[in-house]
Amino acid sequence: LDELFILSRSAVLRQRQIALLTLVHITQRARHTMFHGFIKQPMLQLMLDSGIVQLFRHALDSTEYEIALQGLTALLVAPTEILIQEELYPDLSRYTLQPKISVTKDMDHDTVVAVDVVRLLVDSQLPQRLWYLLSKHGLTQTLVDNTLNILQHVVQHSLHVAMVVVD
């Protein structure tokens, strides 16, 4: 993962794209718990701790915004199979991106973003960037669907986040 993160910041466009696409595929497989049992620490948690959310958010502001949308979709939008698995096997819920602890008013910004992925994205103006991409770029239907799915997931997070998105 470390080498992919370094490669994702390369000055060579194609190297950045390959690194980001590889991270998207790893994220998709991690959401499907394909690494469960092979790696001691859950892969999705390892990627979150490594800063993949910030990496995908940063890529939205560059020419790799399409890959970043795929990555954020893989992180935030649980496939139907995972939703069914979570109903059948509640112990798999540790692979969701819900806040680890509840956010309180006395927490500083760094603590909030460390415990709440969606709050981190909202604080980094993700909704505004997604609306800009929807209105100014000719996104494919799949990317439009991904963008709307991301916004839908973000809005369902909390009333505070929903109000930020609506504004």
Side-chain angles (χ1 to χ4, degrees):
L1 282 179
D2 292 337
E3 291 180 18
L4 285 171
F5 277 91
I6 291 169
L7 196 59
S8 70
R9 292 186 294 268
S10 171
V12 179
L13 176 65
R14 189 64 188 144
Q15 287 178 341
R16 283 195 316 265
Q17 290 173 337
I18 290 171
L20 286 170
L21 277 172
T22 304
L23 287 168
V24 167
H25 292 293
I26 291 171
T27 305
Q28 290 168 340
R29 284 169 178 73
R31 284 293 281 183
H32 285 286
T33 64
M34 294 177 118
F35 299 114
H36 187 67
F38 296 107
I39 300 174
K40 291 180 185 175
Q41 184 179 2
M43 185 61 138
L44 189 58
Q45 189 61 49
L46 181 65
M47 295 177 77
L48 289 172
D49 293 343
S50 298
I52 194 155
V53 175
Q54 295 92 330
L55 179 71
F56 286 148
R57 174 57 188 96
H58 177 71
L60 277 178
D61 294 333
S62 66
T63 57
E64 295 85 30
Y65 63 87
E66 293 178 359
I67 300 170
L69 282 173
Q70 292 174 12
L72 287 172
T73 301
L75 274 174
L76 297 173
V77 182
T80 308
E81 301 91 285
I82 290 179
L83 295 175
I84 292 170
Q85 279 180 348
E86 287 176 353
E87 285 182 26
L88 296 175
Y89 307 103
D91 60 327
L92 289 178
S93 64
R94 66 181 175 267
Y95 296 105
T96 64
L97 297 177
Q98 295 302 317
K100 297 175 191 170
I101 59 173
S102 15
V103 176
T104 61
K105 290 183 180 183
D106 60 335
M107 289 183 172
D108 64 347
H109 177 73
D110 293 335
T111 306
V112 170
V113 298
V115 298
D116 193 343
V117 172
V118 173
R119 200 65 160 290
L120 167 66
L121 290 168
V122 170
D123 288 351
S124 67
Q125 299 184 344
L126 174 77
Q128 294 87 339
R129 181 63 182 162
L130 292 178
W131 286 120
Y132 173 79
L133 290 173
L134 283 170
S135 63
K136 301 294 181 189
H137 291 272
L139 300 178
T140 65
Q141 185 61 46
T142 303
L143 289 176
V144 170
D145 291 344
N146 287 350
T147 304
L148 293 176
N149 285 333
I150 292 168
L151 284 170
Q152 179 183 4
H153 178 81
V154 167
V155 166
Q156 292 173 350
H157 179 269
S158 68
L159 182 60
H160 166 76
V161 171
M163 294 304 291
V164 169
V165 171
V166 170
D167 288 342

